[in-house]
Amino acid sequence: GGWWGVFFFFFLNDTATTEIYTLSLHDALPIWSIAVSNASGFEGKWALILGASSGFGAATARHLASLGLDIFGVHLDRRATMDAVEELKSEITGLGRKTFFVNINAADDELRKKALADFVGQVGAGHGAGSIRVLMHSLAFGDRKSVV
């Protein structure tokens, strides 16, 4: 229970409908397996993972990259843990996927807007925000302000 044990997956599809899965730690794997087994057409699409640098966020980034999704990771890390972030990005690119990671406080409205604008600028308008197919909220600490 508690806010530490719950995270969210949003599967976005081309018909502008959204499947939302709210998972607790004890039931995450069975539901996650069902959701991903029904997913298709990930090639050239992106997953936006809030809290991508460690724990469930990093594990999900690795798994979704292995399924063909590129990874847009949002994280908040200090210098001491940045080597692990760089290692994660290397693992993902080693799978043939693209990465776009930003080290920001995701509770800051202006930083979120800038991160999305930078993402669109990096990947191109035709492949930007509209190509995000999965959103995962897995922030582990910091301000509990709504970010979705």
Side-chain angles (χ1 to χ4, degrees):
W3 75 280
W4 292 95
V6 176
F7 50 98
F8 304 93
F9 292 100
F10 299 85
F11 289 89
L12 311 172
N13 62 38
D14 292 328
T15 61
T17 59
T18 304
E19 299 175 48
I20 301 173
Y21 297 87
T22 304
L23 309 175
S24 65
L25 295 180
H26 70 278
D27 64 5
L29 293 178
I31 293 175
W32 172 245
S33 298
I34 293 166
V36 170
S37 68
N38 293 330
S40 62
F42 280 163
E43 188 65 35
K45 303 299 182 189
W46 289 80
L48 169 55
I49 302 175
L50 306 176
S53 64
S54 62
F56 283 113
T60 301
R62 287 180 186 99
H63 185 69
L64 292 177
S66 76
L67 295 174
L69 280 160
D70 297 323
I71 306 298
F72 177 179
V74 177
H75 62 100
L76 182 59
D77 286 276
R78 293 198 161 98
R79 186 173 303 145
T81 55
M82 286 303 294
D83 286 345
V85 175
E86 292 304 318
E87 184 178 318
L88 174 62
K89 289 167 51 179
S90 291
E91 288 178 48
I92 293 167
T93 57
L95 294 169
R97 306 312 330 145
K98 297 176 189 168
T99 63
F100 183 85
F101 275 59
V102 292
N103 189 14
I104 64 168
N105 178 352
D108 184 305
D109 293 339
E110 293 305 313
L111 291 177
R112 281 196 320 273
K113 289 176 189 172
K114 182 179 181 332
L116 186 57
D118 290 348
F119 169 72
V120 171
Q122 178 76 23
V123 302
H127 301 284
S131 65
I132 295 173
R133 290 295 178 254
V134 177
L135 167 63
M136 179 186 184
H137 184 310
S138 181
L139 296 172
F141 61 91
D143 193 333
R144 288 191 262 174
K145 180 180 174 183
S146 175
V147 293
V148 177

